[in-house]
Amino acid sequence: MKTVIVLLAALVALSGARSAAPPSADDERARVRAHLEGVLEQLRTSPPAGLDAAQRAARAETIEWLAEYTERGRYPHNHVTAVTSPIFVDPHGTPCAVGYLLLRSGEHALVDRIVRTDNRVRVADLAGDEQLGRWLRERGITLEEAARIQPVYEPAGDPGRDPGVSPFTAVSIGVSALTAGVSMYAVSAGESARAAGWVEPLAVAGVVGHGALLMSLYTRDEYPGWAPWVHGAGVLLGALTLRAATAPTEPEPGERSIQVAPILAPDRFGLTLRW
C-alpha cells in the first residue's frame, strides 16, 4: 500500500507543474463574445457591393447563424498550448465561429480537411483554398470578413503577455499539494501518523476537495485535460491515506485476527476479531 500511496501522491502533485493555464474560461469567453458582437454589427451594416439576390439571402442567413453561435456562448478551447491561439475544432468537438458557419451550411468535408491539415490555422492563411473561396462567394462573405470573425490572439511567447492562473487551477494546486503532502507524511511517519490528530481531518479534506473539483467538471464546458485524472487520483489517494492512518496496529506474533470494515475509518465503523 505504501508504494501505491507514493505513486499516487506523485501523480496528484503533478497538477502543480501544469499551472501554466490560459486566462480563465469566463474571461476568454467574454472576450470572444464581445469580439463576435462587434463583427456582427459590421457585417450587418457594411455589406460588400455587387451581391446578387441569392448571395444577399445567403449572407443574411449566415449572419443569423453567427448571431446564434455568439448567443450560445460555447466557444472552442485550446488544450494544446499554454497561450491562447486559434483552434478550428477543439477536442470536445466545439468548432470556432467560421467552422460553425461551415458546418451549418453542410461543409463537413471542408471542416474535416482543415482540422486534419492545420487545426490552428488562421482564416486569412486560407486565401488560396478554392473550396473555401467557393463557399465564401456563395454565402456573400468576403475572405476579409471571414478572417475578421476569428478573434485576434497574441503571438505565442510574447514576453508582454501574462497568461495568469485560473481560479480552478489555483484551487487544484492547493488541494493537490495538501493531499500529496499529508499522504507522504502518513507513509514516512508510519505509527506516528496514526497518533497525529491532524492527519485524518486533513486527509478527509483532501478527499472532499478533490471530489468537489471532480464533480465541478460536469458543469464546465472547458477544463484542462489533466484535471479529471488528477482529481480522480486525489480521491483515491485521500482514501488510501485515511486507511493507512487509521488502520489498527499489526497483531502480535502468533495472534490471528479477522477484520470486517469499510476502507474509511475502520477503527470507528469496523469490526475486528482477534484470538
Side-chain angles (χ1 to χ4, degrees):
M1 180 182 291
K2 291 184 178 180
T3 301
V4 173
I5 292 179
V6 170
L7 290 176
L8 283 174
L11 173 62
V12 173
L14 284 177
S15 65
R18 302 296 297 273
S19 61
S24 71
D26 290 340
D27 290 344
E28 183 64 10
R29 188 181 294 110
R31 184 184 79 86
V32 173
R33 181 178 184 128
H35 171 83
L36 293 176
E37 289 174 344
V39 172
L40 278 168
E41 180 66 21
Q42 295 174 351
L43 292 176
R44 287 168 174 154
T45 58
S46 303
L51 298 181
D52 60 28
Q55 287 175 313
R56 288 195 297 272
R59 178 183 175 87
E61 184 179 45
T62 305
I63 292 174
E64 288 307 307
W65 289 344
L66 182 59
E68 293 172 2
Y69 178 86
T70 303
E71 182 64 26
R72 185 179 62 170
R74 189 172 179 220
Y75 312 131
H77 183 66
N78 184 0
H79 294 296
V80 179
T81 59
V83 295
T84 53
S85 64
I87 188 163
F88 218 74
V89 179
D90 74 7
H92 308 291
T94 305
C96 69
V98 176
Y100 176 81
L101 299 178
L102 288 167
L103 292 172
R104 279 297 303 265
S105 59
E107 296 290 342
H108 297 274
L110 175 56
V111 172
D112 290 343
R113 176 169 60 80
I114 292 174
V115 170
R116 288 195 311 270
T117 304
D118 184 1
N119 199 25
R120 295 174 57 199
V121 69
R122 296 179 185 274
V123 174
D125 295 333
L126 295 173
D129 191 299
E130 295 182 2
Q131 191 175 358
L132 178 64
R134 172 192 54 77
W135 179 83
L136 289 171
R137 289 190 297 273
E138 292 176 355
R139 305 307 301 182
I141 304 291
T142 67
L143 178 66
E144 291 74 18
E145 288 175 326
R148 199 181 309 147
I149 292 173
Q150 189 174 55
V152 176
Y153 295 93
E154 298 183 29
D158 185 348
R161 179 177 178 77
D162 179 13
V165 177
S166 71
F168 181 87
T169 300
V171 174
S172 295
I173 294 171
V175 174
S176 298
L178 169 70
T179 307
V182 173
S183 65
M184 294 296 287
Y185 174 81
V187 169
S188 62
E191 294 294 333
S192 299
R194 298 176 184 176
W198 54 268
V199 173
E200 184 177 353
L202 286 185
V204 171
V207 172
V208 173
H210 279 291
L213 289 168
L214 185 61
M215 293 301 297
S216 74
L217 297 180
Y218 289 100
T219 65
R220 296 169 61 89
D221 292 333
E222 304 164 353
Y223 55 83
W226 51 264
W229 299 100
V230 166
H231 297 303
V235 172
L236 178 59
L237 175 59
L240 290 176
T241 302
L242 277 172
R243 181 69 176 87
T246 60
T249 59
E250 295 295 329
E252 295 295 328
E255 183 181 24
R256 291 180 294 175
S257 66
I258 297 177
Q259 181 180 5
V260 181
I263 192 172
L264 300 182
D267 57 333
R268 295 184 180 179
F269 306 107
L271 173 64
T272 301
L273 302 178
R274 299 186 183 185
W275 67 92

